[in-house]
Amino acid sequence: MTRIRQTSTRLADGRELVYFDDAGTAERARRADERALDPRPATPTMRFDALSAEWITVATARQSRVHLPPADADPLAPQSAGNPSEIPDDYDVAVFENRSPSFGPATLDDVPATVDDEGAGEPAVGGARPAVGRCEVVAFSPDREGSFGSQSTLRARTVVEAWAERTRALSAVPGIAQVFPFENRGVEIGVTLHHPHGQIYGYPYVPPRIRRIAQSVEAHGGDLFAEVLEGERNGPRVLLEGEHFTAFVPYAARWPVEVQLMAHRQVADLAATTPAERDELARLTLRIARGLDALYDAPLPYIAGWIQAPVDAHRDDIRLTWHVTSPRRAADRLKFLAGSEAAMGAWVGDIAPEDGAARLRDAIARADEQRPVEALPWPEVQHA
């Protein structure tokens, strides 16, 4: 069978667009983007918060981005006579640079005199830098409604391939220190498009979440991820277990719904996975996503993102993990981050992780019965 094919082109304003064709599809010509577009916005600025030692990006161009447009103005649908969207032609999966990015379009090569190397010390009070990097949109399907969980297994495998190959590409962009593929789902999370899609951020620094994980790894010594995984695999919170990955509700879950899908071996990022691991990821992530939607009568709002090692650090001890969280704590209630969590970062869990795991196992079982995840149309032995 023909493997997943990727084809790179450019949009009318110079932004990169990469098509990923499902395995087994015929090669096809692509229409050019013939729109007359305004110049790309200037690269935003990052300001340093000296009290928290965190970078804050000021990206004012994002104020004008599209917000919940009608179906006939969907910017992720293939272009038509009445809809000059972002994607010129029909597609399976498409990845392109965001028109209103939080980082970029400049890279470190464009501003070498103003951006310090990672590890060169914290900036002074009032420090600022250009927010170099890359922000990309990942359209999962030309369909105008849905989410990752509504895709076929074949399409989910193409999305996994896109995540992995864009992780590889962005890791080579000068100045990018961390690559983060993610999906926001639901208006409760703040999505601005109903079209099934995700995003990929290429940060010019290691973001706070990964910095804290790195500090924990350094302080603990040994293989912290392996110890966490061993404890979870022997406990009551396991949801699914495959040959290469195990899904579980974490021991100290913060959110009412929280899932981690962790690699069995030390693999730093999606780009370092094998074809067999990507095949399994397509199936397991799809089963989890469909199980999440089976929890209640309405689709579940969530944030699903990939914990990966930084581009140039902790490659041997931070392990690839898919992390999904939802604020829905009941069919008609959301968890809001108020005083303690939002102001002080001191979390209080509303649901015991063991109870959450039991509910999720039941939901995944219902989804497996009602919307079973089909097998991929090729044998595992082809990867040998």
Side-chain angles (χ1 to χ4, degrees), residues 187-266:
V187 293
E188 299 90 340
I189 296 297
V191 299
T192 57
L193 295 174
H194 290 303
H195 195 112
H197 74 288
Q199 300 177 67
I200 305 176
Y201 272 25
Y203 298 97
Y205 55 83
V206 177
R209 174 78 190 283
I210 303 301
R211 287 174 59 186
R212 287 194 292 270
I213 291 174
Q215 290 165 358
S216 296
V217 165
E218 292 169 357
H220 180 83
D223 193 336
L224 179 56
F225 274 80
E227 291 184 35
V228 168
L229 181 60
E230 181 181 4
E232 294 292 0
R233 292 178 77 179
N234 294 324
R237 293 173 298 278
V238 171
L239 303 176
L240 295 171
E241 191 159 14
E243 180 182 354
H244 306 290
F245 297 88
T246 292
F248 54 87
V249 174
Y251 172 73
R254 291 166 169 77
W255 293 94
V257 180
E258 187 165 350
V259 177
Q260 292 185 4
L261 177 66
M262 188 177 291
H264 291 174
R265 71 180 179 97
Q266 175 54 39

Side-chain angles (χ1 to χ4, degrees), residues 29-116:
R30 301 290 188 183
R31 290 197 302 267
D33 184 16
E34 298 179 349
R35 296 173 296 173
L37 298 178
D38 293 334
R40 302 178 68 177
T43 297
T45 298
M46 301 189 307
R47 298 184 180 187
F48 187 68
D49 179 354
L51 294 180
S52 66
E54 295 177 358
W55 287 103
I56 310 300
T57 299
V58 181
T60 57
R62 289 174 53 79
Q63 280 285 71
S64 61
R65 66 191 187 275
V66 174
H67 182 77
L68 300 177
D72 60 0
D74 180 356
L76 303 187
Q79 284 182 13
S80 65
N83 180 18
S85 76
E86 289 281 67
I87 306 176
D89 211 338
D90 195 17
Y91 65 93
D92 295 331
V93 173
V95 183
F96 62 91
E97 292 182 71
N98 198 314
R99 187 187 293 192
S100 303
S102 301
F103 302 97
T107 70
L108 187 62
D109 281 350
D110 301 315
V111 287
T114 58
V115 180
D116 297 330

Side-chain angles (χ1 to χ4, degrees), residues 343-360:
M344 296 304 294
W347 285 77
V348 178
D350 301 290
I351 296 174
E354 292 73 21
D355 294 340
R359 294 169 59 233
L360 275 171

Side-chain angles (χ1 to χ4, degrees), residues 46 55 57 102-104 118 131-135 170 173-182 200-210 306 311:
M46 301 189 307
W55 287 103
T57 299
S102 301
F103 302 97
E118 185 71 23
V132 301
R134 182 74 69 87
C135 291
L170 295 186
V173 172
I176 288 182
Q178 181 78 43
V179 180
F180 177 52
F182 63 99
I200 305 176
Y201 272 25
Y203 298 97
Y205 55 83
V206 177
R209 174 78 190 283
I210 303 301
W306 290 94
V311 171

